[in-house]
Amino acid sequence: MKHIKYCLLFVLASLFASCDPNGLEIAKTSPEKDFVAPVMTAMSGIDVSQENYDGTGSVAFSWQKADFGTPTEVKYDLYMSSASKKDVLIQAGIYTTSFEMDYKTMYAKLVGESNLALPKGASSDIECYVQASLGSLYKIKSQPITIKADI
């Protein structure tokens, strides 16, 4: 019994001695001036016709990834702006460098009064950009691209 007690004490002492709080790796980002913003891929336009609306197609958005200086998961939010509405959130919480939206949902985002409020039966220029974020501390957005939307 005495040997078991000493063995347990030795094991506990070894465990405490093996913990080195100074040896922990802490993830660090680059300085903010070195952050690399995402870059939107140019698009030819968005054509929401009755045929597209009734079909099963989608509108694809893509961009080059943002770089915060550490290999970690980056969250992207997709925004659009029209002449009458600025910085309308189209989709939040994207964790890849591309996103597809079906034409029915895209139509609602383009013409809805609480969204971009574009006129029906017309062609409009809209700006689109993504905002990359690392947690709640760091955010950086891409340069906007202009897209012609035909509704």
Side-chain angles (χ1 to χ4, degrees):
M1 190 69 156
K2 193 175 189 181
H3 291 290
I4 293 174
K5 181 176 158 183
Y6 287 120
C7 285
L8 285 175
L9 284 173
F10 176 75
V11 169
L12 287 174
S14 297
L15 287 174
F16 284 121
S18 67
C19 293
D20 180 14
N22 296 326
L24 295 176
E25 288 189 37
I26 299 172
K28 295 181 181 176
T29 62
S30 297
E32 287 188 54
K33 65 179 178 58
D34 294 336
F35 289 173
V36 178
V39 177
M40 290 288 299
T41 304
M43 296 176 62
S44 59
I46 301 173
D47 181 20
V48 184
S49 63
Q50 189 64 45
E51 182 180 328
N52 290 343
Y53 185 85
D54 293 337
T56 59
S58 61
V59 178
F61 301 91
S62 63
W63 52 89
Q64 295 173 6
K65 68 179 188 164
D67 184 7
F68 289 97
T70 185
T72 186
E73 187 172 61
V74 176
K75 182 182 88 149
Y76 298 96
D77 299 326
L78 181 65
Y79 289 88
M80 288 185 175
S81 297
S82 67
S84 61
K85 304 270 184 129
K86 301 293 180 204
D87 303 322
V88 176
L89 179 63
I90 300 300
Q91 182 67 39
I94 305 167
Y95 290 93
T96 61
T97 56
S98 64
F99 176 72
E100 289 189 20
M101 180 178 286
D102 65 81
Y103 280 104
K104 288 181 183 174
T105 306
M106 189 81 252
Y107 178 82
K109 299 286 185 181
L110 293 174
V111 301
E113 285 299 316
S114 61
N115 289 301
L116 291 174
L118 297 178
K120 297 176 191 172
S123 189
S124 304
D125 285 336
I126 55 175
E127 288 190 339
C128 180
Y129 68 91
V130 289
Q131 178 174 277
S133 58
L134 182 62
S136 60
L137 294 178
Y138 302 111
K139 295 182 181 190
I140 189 167
K141 69 180 191 176
S142 69
Q143 290 295 318
I145 61 170
T146 301
I147 304 169
K148 183 162 290 295
D150 294 314
I151 304 168

